[in-house]
């Protein structure tokens, strides 16, 4: 029901998450992914208020740092304005292993695109803090599935990042070299941080010495004045969504 949060289960995983060899290869990971069964997982889903049940929707996939996918009430209006369906897995917080957190977002994407009229140009992955770091990896390593990534207070990158103070943020993964040129050209990345966010130096370094240096065409930093390590205010989320949505649709007025 549009405007009402629901708990759902899925039964199908696509090859991008079901095949442990592919999952490992996408990151060039040394570890083996553990056993995983999406049918044992639960997801929270919210369709935008006022949706007519037929019009195309975008999809906003959320990865939290905690085990519950937080969605502030103030964000619901922003998602409805942009006609975005929300989905977030439970038990996908920082204590969960990286492979499962990736697979949960991929599976939500796959199943909801089969069940809803999702516009494939408007599938975005996002998250907060540690969840944002996972989202940043998905947006590159699985870039054919996500046209935009909104990183809130955390971002990983695939090269070492040297900061002006001499600190080095080590690489987190190595993406497929054949997919990477397409991601650099077509995918959009909104890097959201705050003036008092302890991850701000890492985020700014990733922007300047990561995304820009590596030639990504569509990346922007959203630096919130006097804001710490917490979820962005709704107006800043609105701006970030507008950036990743650029050229794809005209947003509706907030209900």
């Amino acid at each position: 029901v549009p405007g009402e949060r629901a708990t759902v289960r899925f039964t199908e995983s696509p090859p991008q998450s079901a095949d442990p060899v592919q999952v490992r290869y996408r990151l060039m990971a040394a570890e083996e992914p553990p056993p995983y069964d999406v049918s044992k997982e639960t997801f929270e889903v919210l369709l935008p208020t006022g949706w007519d049940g037929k019009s195309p929707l975008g999809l906003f996939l959320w990865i939290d740092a905690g085990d519950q996918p937080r969605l502030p009430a103030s964000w619901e209006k922003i998602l409805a304005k942009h006609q975005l369906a929300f989905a977030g897995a439970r038990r996908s917080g920082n204590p969960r292993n990286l492979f499962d957190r990736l697979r949960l977002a991929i599976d939500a994407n796959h199943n909801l695109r089969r069940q809803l009229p999702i516009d494939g140009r408007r599938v975005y992955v996002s998250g907060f803090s540690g969840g944002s770091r996972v989202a940043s990896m998905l947006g590159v390593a699985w870039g054919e599935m996500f046209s935009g990534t909104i990183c809130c207070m955390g971002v990983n990158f695939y090269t070492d990042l040297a900061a002006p103070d001499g600190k080095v943020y080590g690489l987190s993964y190595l993406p497929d070299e054949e997919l990477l040129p397409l991601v650099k050209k077509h995918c959009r990345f909104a890097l959201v941080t705050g003036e008092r966010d302890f991850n701000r130096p890492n985020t700014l370094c990733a922007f300047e010495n990561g995304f820009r240096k590596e030639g990504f065409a569509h990346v922007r930093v959203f630096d919130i004045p006097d804001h710490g390590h917490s979820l962005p205010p709704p107006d800043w989320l609105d701006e970030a969504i507008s950036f990743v949505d650029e050229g794809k649709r005209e947003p509706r007025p907030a209900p």
Side-chain angles (χ1 to χ4, degrees):
V1 177
E4 296 184 14
R5 302 188 194 196
T7 299
V8 302
R9 291 182 181 271
F10 302 123
T11 59
E12 184 175 296
S13 294
Q16 291 96 327
S17 63
D19 182 359
V21 175
Q22 182 174 164
V23 173
R24 182 180 175 185
Y25 173 79
R26 291 267 185 159
L27 306 173
M28 294 298 176
E31 303 86 356
E32 291 285 346
Y36 167 82
D37 182 356
V38 70
S39 68
K40 297 179 180 178
E41 309 292 342
T42 57
F43 300 77
E44 291 187 16
V45 173
L46 176 68
L47 304 180
T49 300
W51 180 53
D52 61 11
K54 299 177 182 179
S55 302
L57 292 173
L59 184 56
F60 184 89
L61 295 155
W62 179 255
I63 307 171
D64 212 299
D67 281 343
Q68 297 298 322
R70 288 172 293 174
L71 175 60
S74 60
W75 281 25
E76 291 184 19
K77 293 182 179 180
I78 302 302
L79 296 178
K81 171 185 173 181
H82 292 275
Q83 286 293 279
L84 292 170
F86 170 91
R90 293 176 176 166
R91 298 194 313 115
S92 185
N94 293 348
R96 191 87 183 251
N97 72 81
L98 170 64
F99 297 110
D100 285 1
R101 300 176 85 186
L102 295 162
R103 293 187 284 198
L104 287 163
I106 293 167
D107 287 355
N109 179 6
H110 170 78
N111 285 280
L112 288 172
R113 289 179 72 167
R114 290 170 60 90
Q115 298 174 16
L116 296 169
I118 300 296
D119 181 349
R121 300 172 305 165
R122 305 185 62 239
V123 177
Y124 308 134
V125 61
S126 184
F128 173 70
S129 194
S132 179
R133 293 183 179 278
V134 178
S136 70
M137 297 168 72
L138 274 168
V140 175
W142 279 265
E144 83 281 10
M145 301 184 76
F146 307 98
S147 62
T149 304
I150 300 176
C151 298
C152 301
M153 317 302 167
V155 58
N156 285 355
F157 203 69
Y158 61 84
T159 66
D160 290 340
L161 302 171
D165 63 0
K167 183 174 182 178
V168 175
Y169 300 97
L171 64 87
S172 304
Y173 64 104
L174 293 171
D176 182 353
E177 292 184 356
E178 293 186 7
L179 176 62
L180 192 55
L182 297 176
V183 175
K184 290 180 178 181
K185 182 177 180 180
H186 297 291
C187 295
R188 304 180 76 88
F189 295 82
L191 310 182
V192 185
T193 186
E195 192 175 15
R196 296 184 288 105
D197 173 26
F198 59 76
N199 277 336
R200 183 175 183 268
N202 185 182
T203 297
L204 297 180
C205 191
F207 170 69
E208 192 65 41
N209 296 330
F211 288 99
R212 289 189 65 179
K213 185 176 180 180
E214 286 292 305
F216 284 75
H218 309 288
V219 188
R220 184 181 299 174
V221 171
F222 295 80
D223 198 357
I224 308 172
D226 197 32
H227 188 82
H229 191 75
S230 60
L231 294 177
D235 55 332
W236 285 87
L237 175 68
D238 188 11
E239 289 192 33
I241 292 174
S242 295
F243 171 71
V244 296
D245 238 0
E246 198 168 295
K248 299 170 187 174
R249 71 181 294 273
E250 290 295 326
R252 293 172 50 188

Coordinates of all heavy atoms in Angstrom, one line a residue, residues 193-224:
T193 N 28.7 14.6 3.2 CA 29.4 14.7 4.5 C 29.0 15.9 5.2 O 28.1 16.6 4.8 CB 31.0 14.7 4.2 OG1 31.7 14.6 5.5 CG2 31.4 15.9 3.5
G194 N 29.6 16.1 6.4 CA 29.3 17.3 7.2 C 30.5 17.9 7.8 O 31.6 17.3 7.9
E195 N 30.4 19.2 8.1 CA 31.5 19.9 8.6 C 32.2 19.3 9.9 O 33.4 19.4 10.1 CB 31.1 21.4 9.0 CG 32.2 22.3 9.3 CD 31.6 23.7 9.5 OE1 30.4 23.9 9.7 OE2 32.4 24.7 9.4
R196 N 31.3 18.6 10.7 CA 31.8 17.9 11.9 C 31.8 16.4 11.8 O 31.9 15.7 12.8 CB 31.0 18.4 13.1 CG 31.1 19.9 13.4 CD 30.4 20.3 14.7 NE 28.9 20.3 14.5 CZ 28.1 19.3 14.9 NH1 28.5 18.3 15.6 NH2 26.8 19.4 14.7
D197 N 31.7 15.9 10.6 CA 31.7 14.4 10.4 C 33.1 13.9 10.4 O 34.0 14.4 9.7 CB 31.1 14.1 9.0 CG 31.2 12.7 8.6 OD1 31.3 11.8 9.4 OD2 31.2 12.4 7.3
F198 N 33.4 12.9 11.3 CA 34.7 12.4 11.4 C 35.2 11.7 10.2 O 36.4 11.5 10.0 CB 34.9 11.5 12.7 CG 34.0 10.3 12.7 CD1 34.3 9.2 11.9 CD2 32.9 10.3 13.5 CE1 33.5 8.1 12.0 CE2 32.1 9.1 13.6 CZ 32.4 8.0 12.8
N199 N 34.3 11.3 9.3 CA 34.7 10.7 8.0 C 34.9 11.8 6.9 O 35.2 11.4 5.7 CB 33.6 9.7 7.5 CG 33.8 8.4 8.2 OD1 34.9 8.0 8.6 ND2 32.7 7.6 8.3
R200 N 34.7 13.1 7.2 CA 34.9 14.1 6.2 C 36.2 14.1 5.5 O 36.2 14.2 4.2 CB 34.6 15.5 6.8 CG 34.6 16.6 5.8 CD 34.2 17.9 6.6 NE 34.1 19.1 5.7 CZ 35.1 19.9 5.4 NH1 36.3 19.7 6.0 NH2 35.0 20.9 4.6
P201 N 37.4 14.0 6.2 CA 38.6 14.0 5.5 C 38.7 12.9 4.5 O 39.2 13.0 3.4 CB 39.7 13.9 6.6 CG 39.0 14.4 7.8 CD 37.6 14.0 7.7
N202 N 38.2 11.7 4.9 CA 38.2 10.5 4.0 C 37.4 10.8 2.7 O 37.7 10.5 1.6 CB 37.7 9.3 4.7 CG 37.8 8.0 3.9 OD1 37.4 7.0 4.4 ND2 38.3 8.0 2.7
T203 N 36.2 11.4 3.0 CA 35.3 11.6 1.9 C 35.8 12.7 0.9 O 35.8 12.5 -0.3 CB 33.9 12.2 2.4 OG1 33.3 11.1 3.2 CG2 33.0 12.5 1.3
L204 N 36.4 13.7 1.4 CA 37.0 14.8 0.5 C 38.2 14.2 -0.2 O 38.4 14.6 -1.4 CB 37.4 16.0 1.3 CG 36.3 16.7 2.1 CD1 36.8 17.9 2.8 CD2 35.2 17.2 1.1
C205 N 38.9 13.4 0.4 CA 40.1 12.8 -0.2 C 39.6 11.8 -1.3 O 40.2 11.8 -2.4 CB 41.0 12.0 0.8 SG 42.6 11.5 0.2
A206 N 38.6 11.0 -1.1 CA 38.0 10.1 -2.1 C 37.5 10.9 -3.3 O 37.7 10.5 -4.4 CB 36.9 9.3 -1.5
F207 N 36.9 12.1 -3.1 CA 36.5 12.9 -4.2 C 37.6 13.4 -5.0 O 37.6 13.2 -6.2 CB 35.7 14.1 -3.6 CG 35.3 15.1 -4.6 CD1 34.4 14.8 -5.6 CD2 35.9 16.4 -4.6 CE1 34.1 15.8 -6.6 CE2 35.6 17.3 -5.6 CZ 34.7 17.0 -6.6
E208 N 38.6 14.0 -4.4 CA 39.7 14.7 -5.1 C 40.7 13.7 -5.6 O 41.1 13.8 -6.8 CB 40.4 15.7 -4.2 CG 41.3 16.7 -4.9 CD 40.6 17.6 -5.9 OE1 39.5 18.1 -5.5 OE2 41.1 17.8 -7.0
N209 N 41.2 12.8 -4.8 CA 42.3 11.9 -5.2 C 41.8 10.5 -5.6 O 42.6 9.7 -6.0 CB 43.3 11.7 -4.0 CG 44.0 13.0 -3.7 OD1 44.1 13.9 -4.6 ND2 44.3 13.2 -2.4
G210 N 40.5 10.3 -5.6 CA 39.9 9.1 -6.1 C 39.0 9.3 -7.3 O 39.5 9.2 -8.4
F211 N 37.8 9.7 -7.1 CA 36.9 9.8 -8.2 C 37.3 10.8 -9.3 O 37.3 10.5 -10.5 CB 35.5 10.3 -7.7 CG 34.8 9.2 -7.0 CD1 34.8 9.2 -5.6 CD2 34.0 8.2 -7.6 CE1 34.1 8.2 -4.9 CE2 33.4 7.2 -7.0 CZ 33.4 7.2 -5.6
R212 N 37.8 12.0 -8.9 CA 38.2 13.0 -9.9 C 39.5 12.6 -10.6 O 39.6 12.7 -11.8 CB 38.4 14.4 -9.2 CG 37.1 15.0 -8.8 CD 37.3 16.5 -8.4 NE 37.7 17.3 -9.5 CZ 37.9 18.6 -9.4 NH1 37.8 19.2 -8.2 NH2 38.4 19.3 -10.4
K213 N 40.4 12.1 -9.8 CA 41.7 11.7 -10.4 C 41.5 10.5 -11.4 O 42.2 10.4 -12.4 CB 42.7 11.3 -9.3 CG 44.1 10.9 -9.7 CD 45.0 10.6 -8.5 CE 46.4 10.3 -9.0 NZ 47.2 10.0 -7.8
E214 N 40.6 9.6 -11.0 CA 40.4 8.4 -11.9 C 39.4 8.7 -13.1 O 39.1 7.8 -13.9 CB 39.8 7.3 -11.0 CG 40.8 6.7 -10.1 CD 41.9 5.9 -10.8 OE1 41.5 5.0 -11.6 OE2 43.1 6.2 -10.6
G215 N 38.9 9.9 -13.2 CA 38.2 10.3 -14.4 C 36.7 10.0 -14.3 O 36.1 9.9 -15.4
F216 N 36.1 9.9 -13.2 CA 34.6 9.8 -13.1 C 34.0 11.1 -13.5 O 34.3 12.2 -13.1 CB 34.2 9.4 -11.7 CG 34.4 8.0 -11.3 CD1 35.7 7.6 -11.0 CD2 33.4 7.1 -11.2 CE1 36.0 6.3 -10.6 CE2 33.6 5.8 -10.9 CZ 34.9 5.3 -10.6
A217 N 33.0 11.0 -14.4 CA 32.4 12.2 -15.0 C 31.4 12.9 -14.2 O 31.1 14.1 -14.3 CB 31.8 11.8 -16.4
H218 N 30.7 12.2 -13.3 CA 29.6 12.7 -12.5 C 29.7 12.5 -11.0 O 29.1 11.5 -10.5 CB 28.2 12.2 -13.1 CG 28.1 12.2 -14.6 ND1 27.9 13.4 -15.2 CD2 28.2 11.2 -15.5 CE1 27.8 13.2 -16.5 NE2 28.0 11.9 -16.7
V219 N 30.4 13.3 -10.4 CA 30.6 13.2 -8.9 C 30.5 14.5 -8.3 O 31.1 15.5 -8.8 CB 32.0 12.5 -8.6 CG1 32.1 12.2 -7.1 CG2 32.2 11.2 -9.4
R220 N 29.8 14.6 -7.1 CA 29.7 15.9 -6.4 C 29.8 15.7 -4.9 O 29.2 14.7 -4.4 CB 28.4 16.6 -6.8 CG 28.3 18.0 -6.2 CD 27.0 18.7 -6.6 NE 26.9 18.9 -8.0 CZ 25.8 19.3 -8.7 NH1 24.7 19.6 -8.0 NH2 25.8 19.4 -10.0
V221 N 30.4 16.6 -4.2 CA 30.4 16.6 -2.8 C 29.3 17.5 -2.2 O 29.1 18.6 -2.7 CB 31.8 17.0 -2.2 CG1 31.7 17.2 -0.7 CG2 32.8 16.0 -2.5
F222 N 28.6 17.0 -1.2 CA 27.5 17.8 -0.5 C 28.0 17.9 0.9 O 27.9 17.0 1.7 CB 26.2 17.1 -0.6 CG 25.7 17.0 -2.0 CD1 26.1 16.0 -2.9 CD2 24.7 17.9 -2.5 CE1 25.6 15.9 -4.2 CE2 24.2 17.8 -3.8 CZ 24.7 16.8 -4.6
D223 N 28.6 19.1 1.2 CA 29.2 19.3 2.5 C 28.3 20.2 3.4 O 28.2 21.3 3.2 CB 30.6 20.0 2.3 CG 31.5 19.9 3.5 OD1 31.1 19.4 4.5 OD2 32.6 20.4 3.4
I224 N 27.7 19.5 4.4 CA 26.7 20.2 5.2 C 27.3 21.0 6.3 O 28.0 20.5 7.2 CB 25.7 19.1 5.8 CG1 25.2 18.2 4.7 CG2 24.6 19.8 6.5 CD1 24.4 17.0 5.2

